[in-house]
């Protein structure tokens, strides 16, 4: 049974940093694409970043270099490190897990929600 549980969200002041985490069970985070998505008010779900450690594959949306993903293989957890937060970053952040792309994609991780099989329940981040 695969389970992803996010934690670490909450209120934060603009300009500050915040790290949110995702505990993964029943699935090996380092062998697959682990990604962070978010849903902001009035907007569709958008991919932020993804990482497949064993494939050395990373994907980032254009976030001005403010967000970074990391995987702790020993703890099987995934974290999203956010810096210089802005009020427009407020929303619900989701951890997702899915397979690495095939050889024709050069074993890349997608930022399309359709490519991810497992999802956490989300954690709310509010920047004011």
């Amino acid at each position: 049974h695969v389970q992803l549980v996010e934690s670490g969200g909450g209120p934060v002041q603009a300009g500050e940093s915040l790290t949110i985490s995702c505990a993964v069970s029943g699935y090996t985070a380092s062998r697959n694409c682990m990604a962070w998505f978010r849903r902001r008010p009035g907007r569709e779900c958008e991919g932020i970043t993804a990482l497949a450690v064993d494939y050395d594959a990373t994907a980032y949306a254009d976030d001005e270099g403010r967000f970074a993903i990391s995987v702790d293989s020993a703890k099987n957890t995934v974290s999203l490190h956010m810096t210089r937060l802005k009020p427009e970053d407020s929303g619900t952040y989701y951890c997702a897990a899915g397979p690495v792309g095939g050889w024709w994609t050069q074993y890349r991780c997608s930022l399309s929600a359709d490519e991810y099989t497992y999802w956490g329940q989300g954690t709310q981040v509010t920047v004011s």
Side-chain angles (χ1 to χ4, degrees):
H1 176 64
V2 178
Q3 193 171 18
L4 282 65
V5 180
E6 300 95 337
S7 62
V12 64
Q13 295 293 313
E16 293 184 343
S17 300
L18 181 69
T19 294
I20 56 177
S21 297
C22 173
V24 183
S25 59
Y27 202 77
T28 304
S30 63
R31 297 179 186 173
N32 297 279
C33 287
M34 301 302 303
W36 285 97
F37 289 81
R38 68 181 175 186
R39 187 183 297 276
R40 296 183 284 180
R43 304 189 186 191
E44 295 186 356
C45 185
E46 55 186 327
I48 302 170
T49 182
L51 171 65
V53 173
D54 287 3
Y55 291 82
D56 194 24
T58 310
Y60 282 98
D62 181 14
D63 60 2
E64 305 170 357
R66 297 185 297 120
F67 295 166
I69 186 173
S70 65
V71 172
D72 185 327
S73 299
K75 296 181 179 179
N76 211 35
T77 59
V78 185
S79 296
L80 180 65
H81 311 278
M82 302 181 285
T83 62
R84 307 193 308 277
L85 283 163
K86 306 174 183 180
E88 51 265 43
D89 292 319
S90 297
T92 303
Y93 285 70
Y94 298 91
C95 174
V100 178
W103 61 267
W104 56 94
T105 70
Q106 298 181 324
Y107 305 105
R108 291 178 179 172
C109 289
S110 169
L111 287 181
S112 172
D114 292 343
E115 300 297 321
Y116 288 84
T117 308
Y118 304 102
W119 292 79
Q121 82 289 350
T123 186
Q124 180 70 32
V125 174
T126 303
V127 185
S128 60

